[in-house]
Structure formats: C-alpha cells, structure tokens
Amino acid sequence: MMEMYLYLALFAPLAGSLFAALFGASPKTLWTGLITSGLLFTSFVSSVILFSYLLSGGEVIHVEMMTWMATGNLYIPFGFVVDEVSATMMIVVTTVSTVVHVYAIGYMDHDKGFNRFFSYLSAFVFSMMVLVMSDNFAGLFIGWEGVGLCSWLLIGFWYHKETATWAANEAFIMNRIADLGMLIGIFLIYWNTGSLQYDKVFAEVPYLDIDTVTMIGIFLFVGAMGKSAQFPLHTWLADAMEGPTPVSALIHAATMVTAGVYLVIRANPIYDLIPDVGYMIASLGAFVAIFAATMALVNRDMKRIIAYSTLSQLGYMFVAAGLGAYWVALFHLMAHAFFKALLFLGAGNVMHAMDDELDPVKMGGLRHAMKWTMVMMTLASVALAGIYPLAGFFSKDKILEVAFSGDHYILWGTLWVTAGLTAFYSFRLIMLAFFGEKRHEALGFHPHEAYKYVLWAMSPLAVLAVIAGWFEHEFVHFITHLLPNFEFHTHHVEMILIIVTSMIALGGIITAIMLYKNGPLSKKWEERPCYKVLINQYFIPQFYEEFFTKPYRELSRVLWKEVDMKIVDASVDGIANTIYGTGEKTRHMQDGNLSSMLRWMVIGLLILLTLAAAFSFGTSDTVQQALSDLGAI
C-alpha cells in the first residue's frame, strides 16, 4: 500500500505536466490550472501519508521500478527510497508547490501561455521529486538536470523579452559548468566503489583513501555551488527574477536552490570523513551569507532583495551542513521554504497591483489598498529576521549555536552580523512599500488587493511561517534516525546567545523603521562609493563580462572568421571546386564522337599496359631478391 503512495507522490506532478502539455498551444483553459493543482495536492497528500507512516515507526520504503542500466559491473535501477530525509523534502516540495500552483491560476490569469506555464511548472516539481526520492546518485543526477532544464524554460518563459532569455541562458550555462564538477564526483564514486547506490557507496567510502574521498567531496560540492548559487557561481540567482513570480517562489523556496543543500545532507557519510572540506563549505557559506545580505541593503528591486535574502539563508544552511549539523541545515531549509515562498508570492501581489513595478521607492502607503498582503509579508519578514516565536527564530538560532558550539567564533560573528542585516533589509522593504506617503499616486498607479482565493492559497504558508519551528524536538527525534545527531556544547550560554541574536535582529528592525518611516533616504546617499559598490554587486558581473564573456566572444569570432571560414570552409570548398573543375574540363571525353572515344580507349589501354609492365618488373625484382636471400641462408 505504501508503494502506491510513493508512486502517487512521484508521478502525479508528471501526469499534470503531460495533461497541460496537451493544451500547450491552445488558449487559456482554466481546467489546466485546476487539474495540475489537484494533482499536486494528490502528491502532497501522498507525501503526508508516507511521512506519517515513517513518523509512527514504519520501515523505510524502497522500491525498484525497473533496470535502467546493466552492463558489466554497472547496475543502475530506477529505484526510489522514502526515508526520513527524502520524506521531509517531499513534504516541503509538495506543500510549497501546491500553494504556488493555486496562486499561479490567478497570477497567470491573463497570460497567453497559461497552459504552457503549468506544464513547465509541474515538470519542475516532478524533476525535484525524482531528485530527492532517488536511491542512487545517477537518479539524483537525472532529477538534477531536470530541474536545470525546467528552470531554463521557466526563467525564460517570457522569451519575447531579451532580458528573460539572457537570464535563462545565464542560469543554464552557469549550472552546466558546476554540473561538470558533480559529474566528475559521481564518476569517482563509481570508479572507487563499483556502485552508485547510496547504501553501497556509503558502506564502501570509509575504506577508501582519504585523498580520494576528499576529491569526491569537493567535486560533489562544486555541483552544489552551482545549484545553490554559492560564490562565485551566484550571479544567476538574482537575474533569474526575470521569470514569473510563482517560478521565483518555487525556485527559491522548495526546488532548485535547495538541491545543493540536500546533496550535502544526503552525502553526509562522505563529508563526515573529510571535516576540512566541511569547514571550507561552512566558511564559504558564512561569506555568502554576509556578502548577499550587504547587496540586499541597497537594492531597489523587490524580488531581487528577496532573492539576495535566499542566497544569504543558503549560506546559513551550508554553515550548518559543513560543520556536521546536517539535521539543523535541513530544519532551516524546511522553515525557510515556508516564509520565503510567502514573501515571493506577496511580492507577486504587489507587482500585479503596481503594473509590474518592483521599485519599492516608487510605492509607499500600500497598506491601505493591500492590507492582507502587507500582513502576510510582514509576518514572513519577522520570521526571516528570526524573531520569537516564529519559525526563523528556532532554525536560525540553532545554526548560530552550531557555530559557537564548535568554537568557530569568526563564523558565529559573521552570521550574527548577518542576522542584523537581514532584519534591516527585510523591514526596509516593508517600510518603503507599505508605509509612509503614497508616492505611487504621483506616478499614476492605482494599487488593489489580490483575488481572495489567492490570499487564501497563501494562508497555509503564513500559518507555517509561524508554527513550523515549534516542532523542533519532534523533528530532531524523527530525523536523527538517519542523520547523525549534533552534540551542542552551549547549554551554559544558550540563553545568552539567544538574547544577543534577538537583540541584533530587533536592532535591525528598529533601525529600518526609524530610517524609512518617512520614505526613502536622501539621494546624497546614492553618491557614496559604498552605495555604488553594493548596487553594482561589487562589480562582479562587470568583471565576468570583461574577463570571461568578452574574451570568449572575441575568441569565438576569431575561430569563426579565421579558422572556420578561412581554413575549414575554404578547404572543403577548395576540394569541391577542384573536383567540379576537373569534371568540367573532362566532359568532352563523353561527347559521343566515335573517333574521339576510340582515341581515349587507346590512351587508356597504353596506360594500363604501362602500369602492368611496371608492376611485373617490380615483382620480378622482389622475387629475385627473395631467392638471393634464401641462397645466402
């Protein structure tokens, strides 16, 4: 019976995608949105049943549908597993995806590509389910590439916009670069263990040379860096905001960017053996956390601010995973998914109300027209800031405790400062958009609240943003059946750490309220060098353009003009022209004149006799030489 629920959870999104694809080129069909949403809800219910089964003490569910590859010693099945980690991810993915699907019915209401959008969106969810449910690295890689393809389709959904197609290509190419590293890691796993099945690989890894395990861990993490947009492969994440807002919510909360964190958590037996690599991962995560937070401080695009927030929170997750607190990383991934999806969907409401305007400086006073959106986004921002008793408080504080417990005080200090910055930029956005004067009126905007069913669809996320952290102890008891428990050594200072972290978060909120209660800051601030550095993303995109994109473009032009056209094409054309010219010159041999043809026959006969004579003489000499050699012996 449980196997049936496994298949329902896995394949219901695929069925929805195929159904919507049947009407992809047709005008909007409301049934497309309703049926795909219903199938996602079926997947959600099945995931809840499977989760409840494991929670009540049931055994891990492992199925093999069929053999995929079987050659020599290589055996890869289409196998799927529902254990504590995959069940948690299934709940997160299907919960957020179901809400996003229902929300998208209203958001994409007037879009010509309505049916096509739902086909892509459901395929995205199916790919993520394959990724988290597979029982081997090859199946994980299939889902990994599937979410990459679907992200390209969805980020560039409005392909008539050059910025959208550019952003889709950037995300796709940057992830392919990282995926090459992951593929090398998978090859190393098979080369050294003879299998790609999780259980067999993790049983063999402790017996491998530590240098080999280190290389495997590094290359797998390179793949995670691309998917989770860690520095220096981070620029695609903010640019991906060119896609429809439901896509942004799905990418940032439950699918693509969480895949990198999931990979490290799933491969925890590998990373437990290489703590130095784990510390490198944690250090990079801490850097990315504060790096992204600083860029969010000044940005003037609502969706990009939230995107930088995601990048920063992913840094937190990698700190926990890198330091061996895998369950803490997964706990924050889960809690973050709910309030981050809520923030993005709220931003989508504002975007619709403001005729696609995303600059909060041009808004102000939206609380009057969008009361419920304001309430939900404020709630999500409080959760993101880590204020008690909302979900972010429990998960973020645990990560800070992990860093402090391991005496990693620089990491702890970095995350502590980031917590203050997070609270500040979150409420900077809230204050600029919803409070102060109605600056939008002078610009001719007439905002309005979203459809009621859209707000109702968002309400489960609002509830989860509040209560998700309350189940910390139950979650720890459940997840540590599979993941190692982390020993905290902060019991004597735990309350002090909580107070200190809460104080900086509250300080960030209060500072933002005081600075922006009357509207945006003076434009003199924008003339300062630090502002220019942050608004230009530390000039990293410009650096990539000057030192990677332009040289590559110039190299491609040179290879095209000088090599392809002047050497390759010229050689092929030269051979063709020579053969054609020879044919043109010898055509008169076939002019049908009997005398002429007899002359050519005689010439041909003489050439053949000459060649035969030369061959005969050559053979005789060879025979005579052979006889002479034989006589000498």
Side-chain angles (χ1 to χ4, degrees):
M1 177 61 75
M2 289 300 118
E3 288 186 15
M4 182 191 74
Y5 289 118
L6 183 151
Y7 290 129
L8 275 175
L10 177 62
F11 290 111
L14 177 62
S17 176
L18 295 175
F19 173 81
L22 294 174
F23 307 96
S26 305
K28 175 196 168 184
T29 307
L30 182 60
W31 282 105
T32 302
L34 294 175
I35 290 176
T36 52
S37 300
L39 287 167
L40 253 295
F41 184 72
T42 301
S43 181
F44 164 72
V45 172
S46 301
S47 298
V48 170
I49 292 171
L50 293 168
F51 185 88
S52 302
Y53 170 74
L54 290 177
L55 191 62
S56 62
E59 295 183 355
V60 170
I61 305 162
H62 192 185
V63 300
E64 289 189 6
M65 286 179 57
M66 63 187 79
T67 299
W68 178 32
M69 290 186 186
T71 173
N73 294 325
L74 176 64
Y75 174 71
I76 305 175
F78 279 116
F80 302 96
V81 63
V82 177
D83 55 21
E84 288 78 5
V85 171
S86 59
T88 302
M89 290 297 296
M90 289 163 65
I91 289 287
V92 172
V93 172
T94 55
T95 301
V96 175
S97 300
T98 302
V99 171
V100 168
H101 270 69
V102 175
Y103 175 93
I105 295 173
Y107 190 88
M108 302 297 290
D109 187 34
H110 302 295
D111 197 286
K112 293 180 180 179
F114 184 89
N115 299 336
R116 179 168 57 92
F117 178 81
F118 278 93
S119 179
Y120 294 167
L121 203 64
S122 292
F124 199 7
V125 180
F126 170 67
S127 298
M128 190 65 187
M129 294 294 278
V130 170
L131 191 157
V132 301
M133 294 176 68
S134 289
D135 69 347
N136 61 81
F137 282 99
L140 180 145
F141 191 72
I142 292 173
W144 193 273
E145 295 304 300
V147 295
L149 171 62
C150 293
S151 69
W152 178 75
L153 292 170
L154 287 164
I155 295 169
F157 182 77
W158 289 317
Y159 53 83
H160 55 276
K161 294 169 58 180
E162 185 177 348
T163 52
T165 55
W166 190 92
N169 290 337
E170 180 190 20
F172 190 81
I173 293 168
M174 197 164 283
N175 275 276
R176 297 295 75 72
I177 294 169
D179 290 353
L180 175 61
M182 181 181 174
L183 202 55
I184 293 172
I186 292 174
F187 284 149
L188 286 173
I189 288 172
Y190 176 72
W191 185 267
N192 290 280
T193 66
S195 177
L196 292 176
Q197 300 291 115
Y198 292 147
D199 52 356
K200 294 179 181 178
V201 170
F202 298 151
E204 290 291 328
V205 161
Y207 303 104
L208 300 182
D209 179 77
I210 193 64
D211 292 335
T212 301
V213 180
T214 300
M215 293 300 292
I216 290 172
I218 290 173
F219 279 116
L220 288 180
F221 181 64
V222 170
M225 286 171 64
K227 274 290 182 287
S228 294
Q230 296 297 283
F231 179 87
L233 304 175
H234 66 282
T235 55
W236 70 266
L237 190 64
D239 293 333
M241 297 302 96
E242 289 291 336
T245 301
V247 176
S248 303
L250 205 53
I251 288 177
H252 287 252
T255 54
M256 188 164 172
V257 298
T258 61
V261 180
Y262 169 79
L263 174 62
V264 176
I265 294 170
R266 174 59 76 183
N268 71 88
I270 294 175
Y271 289 102
D272 276 341
L273 299 172
I274 44 176
D276 289 343
V277 174
Y279 186 74
M280 177 203 73
I281 293 171
S283 299
L284 180 62
F287 167 75
V288 170
I290 195 166
F291 170 73
T294 56
M295 291 188 286
L297 293 175
V298 301
N299 202 276
R300 289 182 53 168
D301 184 307
M302 180 177 281
K303 287 174 65 176
R304 283 177 177 263
I305 293 169
I306 304 172
Y308 286 130
S309 169
T310 299
L311 185 53
S312 182
Q313 297 307 304
L314 288 167
Y316 273 86
M317 296 174 207
F318 276 118
V319 170
L323 296 179
Y326 304 104
W327 76 261
V328 179
L330 186 60
F331 186 47
H332 189 49
L333 186 156
M334 177 186 69
H336 171 264
F338 303 135
F339 55 74
K340 185 51 57 71
L342 185 60
L343 273 174
F344 268 112
L345 298 184
N349 290 353
V350 174
M351 189 176 175
H352 259 212
M354 293 289 293
D355 298 330
D356 294 340
E357 178 58 61
L358 283 167
D359 186 353
V361 173
K362 298 179 180 179
M363 299 176 188
L366 292 183
R367 72 184 187 279
H368 302 290
M370 307 183 71
K371 181 177 70 173
W372 288 109
T373 296
M374 183 270 293
V375 169
M376 290 188 185
M377 288 192 70
T378 303
L379 194 67
S381 296
V382 173
L384 176 59
I387 303 299
Y388 181 85
L390 276 69
F393 167 82
F394 296 93
S395 57
K396 281 179 68 175
D397 264 34
K398 275 296 174 206
I399 296 174
L400 286 158
E401 283 186 48
V402 167
F404 198 90
S405 180
D407 299 330
H408 304 297
Y409 300 122
I410 294 177
L411 298 183
W412 178 86
T414 304
L415 297 181
W416 181 74
V417 173
T418 303
L421 298 179
T422 302
F424 177 83
Y425 67 67
S426 297
F427 274 82
R428 168 182 175 266
L429 174 59
I430 295 297
M431 294 303 296
L432 286 175
F434 295 104
F435 294 89
E437 297 179 357
K438 298 180 181 179
R439 297 182 298 279
H440 58 269
E441 290 183 345
L443 300 172
F445 293 111
H446 303 285
H448 54 84
E449 186 58 278
Y451 298 132
K452 286 187 178 180
Y453 74 85
V454 168
L455 296 173
W456 277 109
M458 294 167 61
S459 58
L461 295 177
V463 173
L464 289 168
V466 175
I467 69 170
W470 300 355
F471 303 100
E472 177 189 334
H473 297 295
E474 292 81 1
F475 180 79
V476 174
H477 178 73
F478 172 72
I479 205 68
T480 49
H481 284 103
L482 181 63
L483 297 179
N485 203 349
F486 185 84
E487 293 294 331
F488 290 92
H489 305 290
T490 57
H491 302 296
H492 57 294
V493 294
E494 182 179 358
M495 187 55 63
I496 297 174
L497 291 175
I498 291 173
I499 292 171
V500 168
T501 306
S502 298
M503 289 299 292
I504 195 171
L506 287 170
I509 293 173
I510 294 169
T511 304
I513 292 173
M514 296 302 295
L515 284 176
Y516 294 98
K517 64 181 179 179
N518 296 320
L521 299 179
S522 168
K523 289 198 173 183
K524 290 182 179 180
W525 157 243
E526 299 179 5
E527 298 173 2
R528 296 182 180 180
C530 58
Y531 176 88
K532 292 180 180 179
V533 169
L534 295 179
I535 200 68
N536 287 289
Q537 305 172 57
Y538 292 92
F539 297 100
I540 292 173
Q542 292 89 330
F543 176 83
Y544 288 170
E545 177 70 19
E546 291 296 326
F547 292 96
F548 291 100
T549 306
K550 285 185 178 179
Y552 183 78
R553 188 185 300 122
E554 182 61 22
L555 176 63
S556 300
R557 191 196 65 79
V558 170
L559 292 175
W560 169 45
K561 292 284 188 180
E562 306 299 327
V563 178
D564 190 42
M565 294 187 69
K566 292 185 178 179
I567 297 176
V568 178
D569 285 359
S571 300
V572 173
D573 292 344
I575 294 170
N577 291 333
T578 300
I579 294 173
Y580 182 80
T582 303
E584 282 291 317
K585 292 178 181 178
T586 56
R587 284 177 64 185
H588 63 277
M589 293 173 62
Q590 301 290 333
D591 60 0
N593 186 286
L594 182 60
S595 298
S596 175
M597 294 175 69
L598 286 172
R599 282 196 297 273
W600 284 111
M601 287 175 63
V602 171
I603 292 171
L605 183 61
L606 287 173
I607 292 171
L608 287 173
L609 290 172
T610 302
L611 291 173
F615 178 76
S616 299
F617 282 122
T619 303
S620 299
D621 292 341
T622 303
V623 172
Q624 289 176 4
Q625 183 64 42
L627 291 173
S628 298
D629 293 341
L630 186 61
I633 294 172

